[in-house]
Amino acid sequence: MSGVSTQDLPTAAREVEEFVATGGWDQPPQLFALVPTGHLLREQPDLVGQVDPDAALTPIAQDALPDGDLGAALGTILWPEAVLGCALAQEIVMLPPEAEAELPDADTDAVSAVAASHPAAREARLVAAVLRDGSVACVLRLRSVADGVDEIVEHPGLAQNLTTALLDTFR
């Protein structure tokens, strides 16, 4: 992947998270194509001055995803060759492991409702990003509860099911 290193994907994931964060909380899932910046500027020279020419990858926001099952929506996506990767930003509810054991064996909507109302629930925004070569990066912003300072966590293993689904959009 010409000019893209393993450190470029986490940088792009952080850029996506920071962009989405400017819109605040309570947003629907958002999908981004990750395109080599050099290719983008050659194909669309009018973007000079609007994108960072030193960035290896430029995230490009895609049309809104359809309501409903995210996995089904991702299953319909096929990327053109110019797209080296993609990133998905979505808000989630996190529970500590001991609270997850209390969740009912029910459909997704019922589990989501119980999780959201749990006293130990934390709202978060997750950005999962992948490259065609199988590289993965994840950024998680935990919404602050009291002090107004959000906590940021980065680790490629934060959303294995989601990164697998994103990788499948390139197969």
Side-chain angles (χ1 to χ4, degrees):
M1 292 188 298
S2 61
V4 177
S5 77
T6 57
Q7 292 308 306
D8 296 322
L9 185 59
T11 300
R14 284 189 298 276
E15 183 178 345
V16 166
E17 198 292 317
E18 290 166 4
F19 172 79
V20 174
T22 63
W25 290 93
D26 303 319
Q27 297 183 56
Q30 298 175 54
L31 185 65
F32 296 80
L34 301 177
V35 178
T37 302
H39 174 81
L40 179 65
L41 292 175
R42 280 191 301 280
E43 294 295 316
Q44 297 185 24
D46 55 313
L47 293 177
V48 169
Q50 296 179 41
V51 298
D52 179 0
D54 295 326
L57 294 167
T58 297
I60 301 171
Q62 302 299 291
D63 290 337
L65 291 164
D67 290 335
D69 184 77
L70 183 59
L74 291 176
T76 65
I77 295 172
L78 296 173
W79 297 104
E81 286 300 313
V83 175
L84 286 188
C86 66
L88 179 85
Q90 70 172 7
E91 293 182 13
I92 62 173
V93 173
M94 293 183 55
L95 293 174
E98 59 277 6
E100 288 182 18
E102 301 170 18
L103 295 176
D105 290 329
D107 64 39
T108 305
D109 291 337
V111 171
S112 295
V114 170
S117 64
H118 195 283
R122 292 275 314 264
E123 293 177 285
R125 179 180 303 110
L126 172 68
V127 174
V130 301
L131 293 178
R132 285 183 185 270
D133 71 359
S135 301
V136 170
C138 295
V139 177
L140 180 76
R141 178 183 294 266
L142 289 157
R143 191 172 188 172
S144 69
V145 223
D147 61 8
V149 178
D150 295 341
E151 181 183 347
I152 306 288
V153 178
E154 292 187 47
H155 191 279
L158 287 175
Q160 292 177 340
N161 290 341
L162 181 55
T163 55
T164 297
L166 291 173
L167 286 168
D168 285 346
T169 66
F170 291 99
R171 292 191 176 108

PDB file of all heavy atoms in Angstrom, residues 42-72:
ATOM      1  N   ARG A  42      -4.415  14.179  -6.354  1.00  0.00           N
ATOM      2  CA  ARG A  42      -4.226  14.055  -7.820  1.00  0.00           C
ATOM      3  C   ARG A  42      -5.573  14.006  -8.528  1.00  0.00           C
ATOM      4  O   ARG A  42      -5.753  14.607  -9.580  1.00  0.00           O
ATOM      5  CB  ARG A  42      -3.420  12.797  -8.151  1.00  0.00           C
ATOM      6  CG  ARG A  42      -1.926  12.952  -7.954  1.00  0.00           C
ATOM      7  CD  ARG A  42      -1.152  11.781  -8.531  1.00  0.00           C
ATOM      8  NE  ARG A  42      -1.522  10.489  -7.950  1.00  0.00           N
ATOM      9  CZ  ARG A  42      -1.094  10.030  -6.785  1.00  0.00           C
ATOM     10  NH1 ARG A  42      -0.283  10.756  -6.057  1.00  0.00           N
ATOM     11  NH2 ARG A  42      -1.467   8.852  -6.345  1.00  0.00           N
ATOM     12  N   GLU A  43      -6.536  13.279  -7.945  1.00  0.00           N
ATOM     13  CA  GLU A  43      -7.850  13.124  -8.568  1.00  0.00           C
ATOM     14  C   GLU A  43      -8.736  14.363  -8.371  1.00  0.00           C
ATOM     15  O   GLU A  43      -9.595  14.631  -9.204  1.00  0.00           O
ATOM     16  CB  GLU A  43      -8.566  11.892  -7.993  1.00  0.00           C
ATOM     17  CG  GLU A  43      -7.907  10.582  -8.330  1.00  0.00           C
ATOM     18  CD  GLU A  43      -7.940  10.268  -9.815  1.00  0.00           C
ATOM     19  OE1 GLU A  43      -8.991  10.461 -10.446  1.00  0.00           O
ATOM     20  OE2 GLU A  43      -6.886   9.856 -10.364  1.00  0.00           O
ATOM     21  N   GLN A  44      -8.535  15.068  -7.268  1.00  0.00           N
ATOM     22  CA  GLN A  44      -9.367  16.234  -6.967  1.00  0.00           C
ATOM     23  C   GLN A  44      -8.475  17.384  -6.485  1.00  0.00           C
ATOM     24  O   GLN A  44      -8.448  17.718  -5.301  1.00  0.00           O
ATOM     25  CB  GLN A  44     -10.412  15.878  -5.903  1.00  0.00           C
ATOM     26  CG  GLN A  44     -11.373  14.824  -6.374  1.00  0.00           C
ATOM     27  CD  GLN A  44     -12.487  14.562  -5.379  1.00  0.00           C
ATOM     28  OE1 GLN A  44     -12.832  15.398  -4.563  1.00  0.00           O
ATOM     29  NE2 GLN A  44     -13.063  13.375  -5.460  1.00  0.00           N
ATOM     30  N   PRO A  45      -7.763  18.004  -7.415  1.00  0.00           N
ATOM     31  CA  PRO A  45      -6.824  19.071  -7.042  1.00  0.00           C
ATOM     32  C   PRO A  45      -7.490  20.269  -6.361  1.00  0.00           C
ATOM     33  O   PRO A  45      -6.816  21.033  -5.662  1.00  0.00           O
ATOM     34  CB  PRO A  45      -6.175  19.484  -8.365  1.00  0.00           C
ATOM     35  CG  PRO A  45      -6.995  18.872  -9.435  1.00  0.00           C
ATOM     36  CD  PRO A  45      -7.759  17.743  -8.840  1.00  0.00           C
ATOM     37  N   ASP A  46      -8.799  20.426  -6.503  1.00  0.00           N
ATOM     38  CA  ASP A  46      -9.506  21.520  -5.836  1.00  0.00           C
ATOM     39  C   ASP A  46      -9.520  21.356  -4.310  1.00  0.00           C
ATOM     40  O   ASP A  46      -9.859  22.298  -3.591  1.00  0.00           O
ATOM     41  CB  ASP A  46     -10.935  21.661  -6.377  1.00  0.00           C
ATOM     42  CG  ASP A  46     -11.727  20.375  -6.273  1.00  0.00           C
ATOM     43  OD1 ASP A  46     -11.196  19.309  -6.648  1.00  0.00           O
ATOM     44  OD2 ASP A  46     -12.893  20.426  -5.824  1.00  0.00           O
ATOM     45  N   LEU A  47      -9.122  20.174  -3.819  1.00  0.00           N
ATOM     46  CA  LEU A  47      -9.084  19.939  -2.371  1.00  0.00           C
ATOM     47  C   LEU A  47      -7.780  20.408  -1.721  1.00  0.00           C
ATOM     48  O   LEU A  47      -7.651  20.366  -0.502  1.00  0.00           O
ATOM     49  CB  LEU A  47      -9.305  18.459  -2.062  1.00  0.00           C
ATOM     50  CG  LEU A  47     -10.684  17.914  -2.391  1.00  0.00           C
ATOM     51  CD1 LEU A  47     -10.760  16.419  -2.103  1.00  0.00           C
ATOM     52  CD2 LEU A  47     -11.752  18.658  -1.608  1.00  0.00           C
ATOM     53  N   VAL A  48      -6.814  20.861  -2.551  1.00  0.00           N
ATOM     54  CA  VAL A  48      -5.562  21.384  -1.995  1.00  0.00           C
ATOM     55  C   VAL A  48      -5.926  22.532  -1.063  1.00  0.00           C
ATOM     56  O   VAL A  48      -6.726  23.393  -1.390  1.00  0.00           O
ATOM     57  CB  VAL A  48      -4.611  21.843  -3.115  1.00  0.00           C
ATOM     58  CG1 VAL A  48      -3.435  22.620  -2.542  1.00  0.00           C
ATOM     59  CG2 VAL A  48      -4.128  20.661  -3.924  1.00  0.00           C
ATOM     60  N   GLY A  49      -5.366  22.519   0.120  1.00  0.00           N
ATOM     61  CA  GLY A  49      -5.678  23.531   1.115  1.00  0.00           C
ATOM     62  C   GLY A  49      -6.792  23.113   2.060  1.00  0.00           C
ATOM     63  O   GLY A  49      -7.004  23.740   3.084  1.00  0.00           O
ATOM     64  N   GLN A  50      -7.532  22.052   1.704  1.00  0.00           N
ATOM     65  CA  GLN A  50      -8.611  21.572   2.564  1.00  0.00           C
ATOM     66  C   GLN A  50      -8.232  20.297   3.307  1.00  0.00           C
ATOM     67  O   GLN A  50      -8.892  19.946   4.279  1.00  0.00           O
ATOM     68  CB  GLN A  50      -9.877  21.321   1.736  1.00  0.00           C
ATOM     69  CG  GLN A  50     -10.442  22.575   1.104  1.00  0.00           C
ATOM     70  CD  GLN A  50     -11.669  22.267   0.279  1.00  0.00           C
ATOM     71  OE1 GLN A  50     -12.515  21.468   0.681  1.00  0.00           O
ATOM     72  NE2 GLN A  50     -11.766  22.889  -0.886  1.00  0.00           N
ATOM     73  N   VAL A  51      -7.227  19.596   2.804  1.00  0.00           N
ATOM     74  CA  VAL A  51      -6.770  18.375   3.468  1.00  0.00           C
ATOM     75  C   VAL A  51      -5.284  18.518   3.787  1.00  0.00           C
ATOM     76  O   VAL A  51      -4.570  19.298   3.158  1.00  0.00           O
ATOM     77  CB  VAL A  51      -7.005  17.102   2.604  1.00  0.00           C
ATOM     78  CG1 VAL A  51      -8.480  16.898   2.339  1.00  0.00           C
ATOM     79  CG2 VAL A  51      -6.239  17.152   1.307  1.00  0.00           C
ATOM     80  N   ASP A  52      -4.826  17.759   4.765  1.00  0.00           N
ATOM     81  CA  ASP A  52      -3.430  17.793   5.176  1.00  0.00           C
ATOM     82  C   ASP A  52      -2.599  17.013   4.155  1.00  0.00           C
ATOM     83  O   ASP A  52      -2.704  15.783   4.090  1.00  0.00           O
ATOM     84  CB  ASP A  52      -3.283  17.181   6.567  1.00  0.00           C
ATOM     85  CG  ASP A  52      -1.854  17.143   7.065  1.00  0.00           C
ATOM     86  OD1 ASP A  52      -0.932  17.593   6.345  1.00  0.00           O
ATOM     87  OD2 ASP A  52      -1.653  16.660   8.194  1.00  0.00           O
ATOM     88  N   PRO A  53      -1.760  17.703   3.364  1.00  0.00           N
ATOM     89  CA  PRO A  53      -0.988  16.998   2.343  1.00  0.00           C
ATOM     90  C   PRO A  53       0.055  16.054   2.923  1.00  0.00           C
ATOM     91  O   PRO A  53       0.539  15.162   2.229  1.00  0.00           O
ATOM     92  CB  PRO A  53      -0.325  18.135   1.545  1.00  0.00           C
ATOM     93  CG  PRO A  53      -0.276  19.285   2.501  1.00  0.00           C
ATOM     94  CD  PRO A  53      -1.469  19.133   3.400  1.00  0.00           C
ATOM     95  N   ASP A  54       0.391  16.233   4.206  1.00  0.00           N
ATOM     96  CA  ASP A  54       1.379  15.361   4.843  1.00  0.00           C
ATOM     97  C   ASP A  54       0.762  14.089   5.422  1.00  0.00           C
ATOM     98  O   ASP A  54       1.485  13.172   5.803  1.00  0.00           O
ATOM     99  CB  ASP A  54       2.109  16.118   5.954  1.00  0.00           C
ATOM    100  CG  ASP A  54       2.930  17.277   5.399  1.00  0.00           C
ATOM    101  OD1 ASP A  54       3.462  17.156   4.274  1.00  0.00           O
ATOM    102  OD2 ASP A  54       3.017  18.308   6.092  1.00  0.00           O
ATOM    103  N   ALA A  55      -0.564  14.029   5.495  1.00  0.00           N
ATOM    104  CA  ALA A  55      -1.237  12.839   6.027  1.00  0.00           C
ATOM    105  C   ALA A  55      -1.203  11.743   4.961  1.00  0.00           C
ATOM    106  O   ALA A  55      -1.468  12.002   3.788  1.00  0.00           O
ATOM    107  CB  ALA A  55      -2.677  13.161   6.399  1.00  0.00           C
ATOM    108  N   ALA A  56      -0.894  10.537   5.370  1.00  0.00           N
ATOM    109  CA  ALA A  56      -0.876   9.428   4.426  1.00  0.00           C
ATOM    110  C   ALA A  56      -2.292   9.065   3.981  1.00  0.00           C
ATOM    111  O   ALA A  56      -2.520   8.712   2.824  1.00  0.00           O
ATOM    112  CB  ALA A  56      -0.200   8.213   5.047  1.00  0.00           C
ATOM    113  N   LEU A  57      -3.251   9.143   4.916  1.00  0.00           N
ATOM    114  CA  LEU A  57      -4.639   8.783   4.630  1.00  0.00           C
ATOM    115  C   LEU A  57      -5.554   9.959   4.948  1.00  0.00           C
ATOM    116  O   LEU A  57      -5.358  10.649   5.948  1.00  0.00           O
ATOM    117  CB  LEU A  57      -5.070   7.591   5.489  1.00  0.00           C
ATOM    118  CG  LEU A  57      -4.374   6.269   5.225  1.00  0.00           C
ATOM    119  CD1 LEU A  57      -4.668   5.278   6.351  1.00  0.00           C
ATOM    120  CD2 LEU A  57      -4.829   5.698   3.885  1.00  0.00           C
ATOM    121  N   THR A  58      -6.564  10.130   4.112  1.00  0.00           N
ATOM    122  CA  THR A  58      -7.581  11.136   4.367  1.00  0.00           C
ATOM    123  C   THR A  58      -8.922  10.431   4.538  1.00  0.00           C
ATOM    124  O   THR A  58      -9.348   9.695   3.645  1.00  0.00           O
ATOM    125  CB  THR A  58      -7.672  12.152   3.213  1.00  0.00           C
ATOM    126  OG1 THR A  58      -6.425  12.851   3.133  1.00  0.00           O
ATOM    127  CG2 THR A  58      -8.804  13.147   3.429  1.00  0.00           C
ATOM    128  N   PRO A  59      -9.597  10.634   5.674  1.00  0.00           N
ATOM    129  CA  PRO A  59     -10.939  10.075   5.855  1.00  0.00           C
ATOM    130  C   PRO A  59     -11.958  10.895   5.049  1.00  0.00           C
ATOM    131  O   PRO A  59     -11.916  12.127   5.057  1.00  0.00           O
ATOM    132  CB  PRO A  59     -11.203  10.224   7.350  1.00  0.00           C
ATOM    133  CG  PRO A  59      -9.885  10.571   7.970  1.00  0.00           C
ATOM    134  CD  PRO A  59      -9.075  11.215   6.906  1.00  0.00           C
ATOM    135  N   ILE A  60     -12.836  10.198   4.366  1.00  0.00           N
ATOM    136  CA  ILE A  60     -13.891  10.842   3.581  1.00  0.00           C
ATOM    137  C   ILE A  60     -15.227  10.305   4.077  1.00  0.00           C
ATOM    138  O   ILE A  60     -15.508   9.107   3.959  1.00  0.00           O
ATOM    139  CB  ILE A  60     -13.726  10.564   2.076  1.00  0.00           C
ATOM    140  CG1 ILE A  60     -12.364  11.088   1.602  1.00  0.00           C
ATOM    141  CG2 ILE A  60     -14.865  11.193   1.284  1.00  0.00           C
ATOM    142  CD1 ILE A  60     -12.003  10.684   0.193  1.00  0.00           C
ATOM    143  N   ALA A  61     -16.039  11.215   4.633  1.00  0.00           N
ATOM    144  CA  ALA A  61     -17.349  10.819   5.160  1.00  0.00           C
ATOM    145  C   ALA A  61     -18.212  10.277   4.028  1.00  0.00           C
ATOM    146  O   ALA A  61     -18.240  10.826   2.927  1.00  0.00           O
ATOM    147  CB  ALA A  61     -18.024  12.010   5.832  1.00  0.00           C
ATOM    148  N   GLN A  62     -18.921   9.201   4.309  1.00  0.00           N
ATOM    149  CA  GLN A  62     -19.811   8.575   3.345  1.00  0.00           C
ATOM    150  C   GLN A  62     -21.259   8.962   3.642  1.00  0.00           C
ATOM    151  O   GLN A  62     -21.557   9.542   4.677  1.00  0.00           O
ATOM    152  CB  GLN A  62     -19.651   7.044   3.403  1.00  0.00           C
ATOM    153  CG  GLN A  62     -18.226   6.574   3.132  1.00  0.00           C
ATOM    154  CD  GLN A  62     -17.735   6.966   1.753  1.00  0.00           C
ATOM    155  OE1 GLN A  62     -18.217   6.457   0.752  1.00  0.00           O
ATOM    156  NE2 GLN A  62     -16.775   7.888   1.700  1.00  0.00           N
ATOM    157  N   ASP A  63     -22.148   8.591   2.730  1.00  0.00           N
ATOM    158  CA  ASP A  63     -23.573   8.837   2.952  1.00  0.00           C
ATOM    159  C   ASP A  63     -24.012   8.134   4.235  1.00  0.00           C
ATOM    160  O   ASP A  63     -23.400   7.148   4.660  1.00  0.00           O
ATOM    161  CB  ASP A  63     -24.404   8.299   1.783  1.00  0.00           C
ATOM    162  CG  ASP A  63     -24.196   9.117   0.510  1.00  0.00           C
ATOM    163  OD1 ASP A  63     -23.796  10.293   0.609  1.00  0.00           O
ATOM    164  OD2 ASP A  63     -24.428   8.563  -0.582  1.00  0.00           O
ATOM    165  N   ALA A  64     -25.088   8.638   4.824  1.00  0.00           N
ATOM    166  CA  ALA A  64     -25.612   8.052   6.054  1.00  0.00           C
ATOM    167  C   ALA A  64     -25.936   6.577   5.848  1.00  0.00           C
ATOM    168  O   ALA A  64     -26.430   6.177   4.782  1.00  0.00           O
ATOM    169  CB  ALA A  64     -26.860   8.804   6.500  1.00  0.00           C
ATOM    170  N   LEU A  65     -25.647   5.788   6.852  1.00  0.00           N
ATOM    171  CA  LEU A  65     -25.992   4.369   6.817  1.00  0.00           C
ATOM    172  C   LEU A  65     -27.495   4.221   7.028  1.00  0.00           C
ATOM    173  O   LEU A  65     -28.108   5.030   7.746  1.00  0.00           O
ATOM    174  CB  LEU A  65     -25.236   3.616   7.912  1.00  0.00           C
ATOM    175  CG  LEU A  65     -23.730   3.519   7.689  1.00  0.00           C
ATOM    176  CD1 LEU A  65     -23.024   3.119   8.980  1.00  0.00           C
ATOM    177  CD2 LEU A  65     -23.429   2.522   6.593  1.00  0.00           C
ATOM    178  N   PRO A  66     -28.094   3.194   6.439  1.00  0.00           N
ATOM    179  CA  PRO A  66     -29.528   3.003   6.660  1.00  0.00           C
ATOM    180  C   PRO A  66     -29.811   2.621   8.105  1.00  0.00           C
ATOM    181  O   PRO A  66     -28.966   2.044   8.792  1.00  0.00           O
ATOM    182  CB  PRO A  66     -29.888   1.854   5.704  1.00  0.00           C
ATOM    183  CG  PRO A  66     -28.596   1.165   5.406  1.00  0.00           C
ATOM    184  CD  PRO A  66     -27.513   2.186   5.571  1.00  0.00           C
ATOM    185  N   ASP A  67     -31.003   2.976   8.576  1.00  0.00           N
ATOM    186  CA  ASP A  67     -31.418   2.570   9.920  1.00  0.00           C
ATOM    187  C   ASP A  67     -31.529   1.053   9.957  1.00  0.00           C
ATOM    188  O   ASP A  67     -31.726   0.409   8.938  1.00  0.00           O
ATOM    189  CB  ASP A  67     -32.776   3.185  10.274  1.00  0.00           C
ATOM    190  CG  ASP A  67     -32.676   4.680  10.490  1.00  0.00           C
ATOM    191  OD1 ASP A  67     -31.580   5.164  10.828  1.00  0.00           O
ATOM    192  OD2 ASP A  67     -33.700   5.372  10.320  1.00  0.00           O
ATOM    193  N   GLY A  68     -31.415   0.492  11.133  1.00  0.00           N
ATOM    194  CA  GLY A  68     -31.572  -0.951  11.274  1.00  0.00           C
ATOM    195  C   GLY A  68     -30.258  -1.624  11.578  1.00  0.00           C
ATOM    196  O   GLY A  68     -29.340  -1.032  12.150  1.00  0.00           O
ATOM    197  N   ASP A  69     -30.147  -2.858  11.162  1.00  0.00           N
ATOM    198  CA  ASP A  69     -29.013  -3.712  11.471  1.00  0.00           C
ATOM    199  C   ASP A  69     -27.733  -3.205  10.808  1.00  0.00           C
ATOM    200  O   ASP A  69     -27.635  -3.174   9.581  1.00  0.00           O
ATOM    201  CB  ASP A  69     -29.339  -5.145  11.028  1.00  0.00           C
ATOM    202  CG  ASP A  69     -28.239  -6.104  11.411  1.00  0.00           C
ATOM    203  OD1 ASP A  69     -28.164  -6.476  12.594  1.00  0.00           O
ATOM    204  OD2 ASP A  69     -27.438  -6.476  10.523  1.00  0.00           O
ATOM    205  N   LEU A  70     -26.758  -2.812  11.626  1.00  0.00           N
ATOM    206  CA  LEU A  70     -25.493  -2.299  11.117  1.00  0.00           C
ATOM    207  C   LEU A  70     -24.736  -3.365  10.335  1.00  0.00           C
ATOM    208  O   LEU A  70     -24.169  -3.090   9.281  1.00  0.00           O
ATOM    209  CB  LEU A  70     -24.642  -1.775  12.277  1.00  0.00           C
ATOM    210  CG  LEU A  70     -23.314  -1.133  11.922  1.00  0.00           C
ATOM    211  CD1 LEU A  70     -23.495   0.052  10.989  1.00  0.00           C
ATOM    212  CD2 LEU A  70     -22.588  -0.710  13.191  1.00  0.00           C
ATOM    213  N   GLY A  71     -24.744  -4.588  10.829  1.00  0.00           N
ATOM    214  CA  GLY A  71     -24.055  -5.677  10.137  1.00  0.00           C
ATOM    215  C   GLY A  71     -24.609  -5.909   8.742  1.00  0.00           C
ATOM    216  O   GLY A  71     -23.858  -6.129   7.797  1.00  0.00           O
ATOM    217  N   ALA A  72     -25.927  -5.854   8.608  1.00  0.00           N
ATOM    218  CA  ALA A  72     -26.550  -6.024   7.297  1.00  0.00           C
ATOM    219  C   ALA A  72     -26.150  -4.889   6.364  1.00  0.00           C
ATOM    220  O   ALA A  72     -25.870  -5.112   5.177  1.00  0.00           O
ATOM    221  CB  ALA A  72     -28.069  -6.091   7.437  1.00  0.00           C
TER     222      ALA A  72
END
